[in-house]
Amino acid sequence: MNQIAQHLLQVKERIAQAAGQAGRNAESIPLLAVSKTKPIEAIMAAHAAGQRRFGESYAQEAATKIDTLRQQEGYADIEWHFIGPLQSNKSRLVAERFDWVQSVDRDKLIERLNNQRPATMAPLNVCLQINISGESSKSGTSEQEIFQLAERVAQCERLVLRGLMAIPEHTSDETVLAAQMTRMQALFTELARQYPSVDTLSMGMTEDLELAIAHGSTMVRVGTAIFGARDYS
């Protein structure tokens, strides 16, 4: 597992270099380690190396990991982000465990998360996911619906609107990617103007984090470059 610590260092160096080229402070761009499908030992290794933010995409798998780690000493400082498509019938698993949900994309999910968030926990941080590439295979709402959904979240007592999340098109064409990221940056700027709680543009992964940082991303989500393409055993 020592390689995870090395990989984390390499990713943080990439973030720092990209931030410097964009004239930004690297400390303002936190790293979310995407640990979906990875064993709990990999999360523990990353935590030992100083990583505190983790992203999961499968509600049942994540619930097991979170419950297991919370029963052990030393892991209460983990900040858990749900970043995958969330079925309504799995929303309670997420509402009762996570600190953030970055993949909110419809009214029904907003209502369920708000109703199911325990009053004993801090309000749930929410990012609205935009399908910025318009691909039918991707989750996320349209650009036109964002502000209506944002208003719904803002009205919820147990939710806090924090920003936007997107997964740009999987392409090596930087012109296409840059255009999509530019639109995301503009939407984020407008949303932040309307809602003081908005401070997060979650955009950029292993392949495109540098471009995302150049286009205003305030949080990058990295899995493969930290944990590798295959599960650790």
Side-chain angles (χ1 to χ4, degrees):
M1 289 298 182
N2 288 339
Q3 60 184 320
I4 289 179
Q6 182 62 35
H7 291 166
L8 274 168
L9 184 60
Q10 292 168 352
V11 172
K12 289 177 181 177
E13 288 173 349
R14 287 176 61 187
I15 293 171
Q17 184 174 4
Q21 291 174 349
R24 300 177 59 194
N25 181 356
E27 296 298 318
S28 69
I29 310 167
L31 168 63
L32 183 66
V34 179
S35 49
K36 64 179 182 180
T37 76
K38 303 303 176 183
I40 201 165
E41 291 79 12
I43 296 174
M44 294 168 75
H47 184 272
Q51 181 64 27
R52 294 296 180 266
R53 295 179 178 89
F54 292 88
E56 293 283 335
S57 295
Y58 306 108
Q60 190 63 61
E61 173 197 326
T64 300
K65 292 178 182 178
I66 294 171
D67 291 348
T68 300
L69 285 173
R70 283 181 174 163
Q71 291 171 7
Q72 301 185 41
E73 287 189 22
Y75 296 99
D77 58 351
I78 291 181
E79 184 176 278
W80 294 100
H81 293 239
F82 192 83
I83 60 174
L86 181 55
Q87 298 174 346
S88 295
N89 63 357
K90 298 289 182 66
S91 61
R92 185 176 295 279
L93 287 172
V94 171
E96 292 181 345
R97 291 169 175 82
F98 280 80
D99 302 294
W100 289 65
V101 179
Q102 296 198 19
S103 50
V104 173
D105 60 1
R106 59 194 186 277
D107 279 325
K108 182 179 180 180
L109 185 56
I110 292 170
E111 181 180 2
R112 289 180 68 88
L113 289 171
N114 183 60
N115 291 340
Q116 294 168 346
R117 182 66 167 179
T120 55
M121 297 180 73
L124 185 61
N125 297 293
V126 166
C127 287
L128 301 173
Q129 181 176 356
I130 301 180
N131 184 354
I132 196 65
S133 63
E135 296 170 89
S136 60
S137 60
K138 284 186 179 174
S139 299
T141 189
S142 67
E143 297 175 52
Q144 293 74 28
E145 294 175 321
I146 280 299
F147 294 96
Q148 176 244 328
L149 291 178
E151 182 59 27
R152 284 284 296 114
V153 174
Q155 293 170 353
C156 291
E157 182 180 356
R158 306 302 304 152
L159 306 179
V160 177
L161 180 65
R162 295 298 296 271
L164 301 175
M165 185 269 266
I167 306 173
E169 192 170 336
H170 183 65
T171 176
S172 58
D173 188 335
E174 287 201 1
T175 301
V176 172
L177 283 173
Q180 294 174 10
M181 291 179 177
T182 297
R183 296 210 308 278
M184 284 298 304
Q185 189 174 18
L187 288 166
F188 170 69
T189 299
E190 176 60 22
L191 196 68
R193 187 186 67 80
Q194 295 186 29
Y195 298 96
S197 61
V198 169
D199 59 5
T200 300
L201 176 57
S202 177
M203 182 172 70
M205 299 184 286
T206 294
E207 300 85 359
D208 59 8
L209 70 85
E210 286 86 0
L211 192 63
I213 289 171
H215 287 82
S217 172
T218 69
M219 181 180 293
V220 293
R221 311 181 306 274
V222 178
T224 301
I226 297 172
F227 298 110
R230 297 181 180 179
D231 290 350
Y232 289 85
S233 59

